[in-house]
Amino acid sequence: MLKTNFLDVELSNPLMNASGVHCMTTKELDELATSEAGAFVTKTATRDYREGNPEPRYYDTALGSINSMGLPNNGLDYYLDYVIERQRAGAKLQFLSVTGMSYDENIALLKKIQESEYEGVTEFNLSCPNVPGKPQIAYDFELTDKLLAEVFTFFTKPIGVKLPPYFDIAHFDEMAKILNKYPLTYVNSVNSVGNGLYIDLDKEQVVIKPKGGFGGLGGEYIKPTALANVRAFRERLNPSIKIIGTGGVINGKDIFEHILCGADLVQVGTTLHKEGVSVFARLTKELQEVMKEKGYSSLDDFRGKLKVI
Ligand code: DHB
């Protein structure tokens, strides 16, 4: 009932982790790989190991989460070795997330992937909001265009981009126009809603240490924004560019809504962090229940078919 194809690989369901959650170590990745998730993505890797921001840097709230992790990761080689090893063992579809700390590092990372034997998908993260002093690439339209133009002079493997949320129709138009120039496999919307502030009222204090308490929001807070971004890009992007919907998935109904807006796959971050990998068994069951109630037998029955009035 939940089967779906991505790059000609049949997945048991459209669910994945969102990069950053439960994907830092090979142990966590192994747990994802053997979970009910249809696919998984690695923690966004930079060229070198990074410690990340000081703790506390992630906090669960009643309606979601706030984080300012600061890209802690084990470096590209760690994750590239992992996916290559799994590929040699027969793994079919994997997602390797990367971002550079500079323009040149972005190019160097992607060249390394291009030159490696890795045949899976690369998720190029243009939207990390948590590194002090580093604006998100994807909020700079000109830079995004320039970077993608250079990437596609040499990169021929499947690649998608992870985007931050946009809040203005003109920005949807402008970004979609840029993305449509390139042979992207997919667009992933959205990364965390950047730089919110959550307060512990009793203590009259922020809850995370980096950046005076500012951090990316996830969870229930962000579902309407995530759905708007999925819908806006599905309406504007070339049909060849798939969409991964991320943001605000708490239950099966939320997944249904993402797919109704046009998502091909759906990623889960905050709720995976709260519940662990067993969340995928719960969510697949709940999604099937919603579909049964509505009389749908496959995802294609309702994907992208949101009605307007
Ligand atoms: C981090 C957060 C993000 O939203 C992202 O896209 C990449 C990294 C982080 O703080 O580690």
Side-chain angles (χ1 to χ4, degrees):
M1 194 178 201
L2 302 185
K3 284 196 172 75
T4 195
N5 280 330
F6 197 91
L7 290 175
D8 293 329
V9 177
E10 189 182 84
L11 306 178
S12 59
N13 67 68
L15 298 184
M16 300 175 64
N17 64 306
S19 182
V21 181
H22 208 98
C23 57
M24 184 88 80
T25 62
T26 56
K27 178 174 175 283
E28 288 180 324
L29 289 162
D30 283 344
E31 286 165 5
L32 282 175
T34 53
S35 77
E36 295 281 308
F40 68 86
V41 57
T42 58
K43 170 68 187 174
T44 298
T46 49
R47 184 189 55 204
D48 302 317
Y49 166 86
R50 282 175 59 85
E51 187 76 32
N53 291 336
E55 293 180 350
R57 57 192 186 183
Y58 188 108
Y59 186 88
D60 283 314
T61 73
L63 295 179
S65 63
I66 183 166
N67 88 83
S68 183
M69 303 298 287
L71 277 171
N73 76 92
N74 288 310
L76 177 64
D77 288 350
Y78 179 94
Y79 302 100
L80 189 55
D81 288 350
Y82 179 78
V83 289
I84 287 175
E85 203 177 301
R86 290 189 81 253
Q87 178 179 297
R88 286 181 186 158
K92 290 213 179 74
L93 187 70
Q94 308 186 83
F95 292 74
L96 174 67
S97 175
V98 296
T99 198
M101 300 304 293
S102 66
Y103 186 95
D104 290 344
E105 187 181 328
N106 278 308
I107 298 299
L109 288 170
L110 293 173
K111 283 203 166 139
K112 186 158 193 179
I113 295 169
Q114 176 66 28
E115 284 156 17
S116 76
E117 68 179 87
Y118 180 58
E119 289 167 359
V121 186
T122 297
E123 177 158 295
F124 190 21
N125 185 352
L126 302 180
S127 51
C128 177
N130 297 331
V131 179
K134 288 259 169 222
Q136 298 187 31
I137 294 171
Y139 281 150
D140 183 334
F141 295 89
E142 224 172 286
L143 178 62
T144 300
D145 195 10
K146 180 174 173 232
L147 184 57
L148 290 178
E150 181 160 356
V151 166
F152 284 106
T153 61
F154 65 87
F155 203 84
T156 59
K157 296 180 176 182
I159 184 168
V161 286
K162 176 88 174 269
L163 297 179
Y166 299 99
F167 302 93
D168 193 296
I169 299 295
H171 291 162
F172 291 134
D173 291 341
E174 202 178 337
M175 184 45 81
K177 202 169 145 198
I178 291 166
L179 299 172
N180 276 334
K181 296 202 287 185
Y182 303 104
L184 287 162
T185 302
Y186 72 92
V187 163
N188 185 346
S189 287
V190 296
N191 208 316
S192 51
V193 173
N195 295 297
L197 185 62
Y198 188 84
I199 293 169
D200 180 328
L201 184 59
D202 290 339
K203 292 187 189 156
E204 301 177 17
Q205 186 176 295
V206 300
V207 295
I208 54 173
K209 187 177 173 74
K211 296 198 303 182
F214 285 62
L217 302 177
E220 210 172 319
Y221 302 114
I222 79 163
K223 187 176 75 169
T225 294
L227 294 176
N229 277 261
V230 169
R231 172 73 167 166
F233 281 117
R234 187 62 293 158
E235 288 178 322
R236 288 167 177 75
L237 292 176
N238 300 333
S240 60
I241 303 179
K242 291 188 176 287
I243 307 244
I244 299 184
T246 305
V249 171
I250 320 293
N251 58 45
K253 289 180 188 164
D254 302 321
I255 302 165
F256 186 93
E257 290 179 6
H258 265 279
I259 296 171
L260 194 64
C261 287
D264 294 283
L265 303 178
V266 178
Q267 295 185 345
V268 186
T270 296
T271 307
L272 168 60
H273 190 270
K274 284 184 181 172
E275 286 182 40
V277 295
S278 66
V279 75
F280 294 110
R282 174 175 70 77
L283 290 172
T284 49
K285 188 167 153 271
E286 289 177 2
L287 176 58
Q288 288 183 75
E289 281 164 9
V290 178
M291 288 170 62
K292 264 184 221 146
E293 246 170 59
K294 288 176 168 288
Y296 293 127
S297 55
S298 83
L299 302 179
D300 288 338
D301 291 346
F302 62 96
R303 182 180 282 122
K305 294 188 179 163
L306 179 67
K307 295 175 203 156
V308 290
I309 49 173

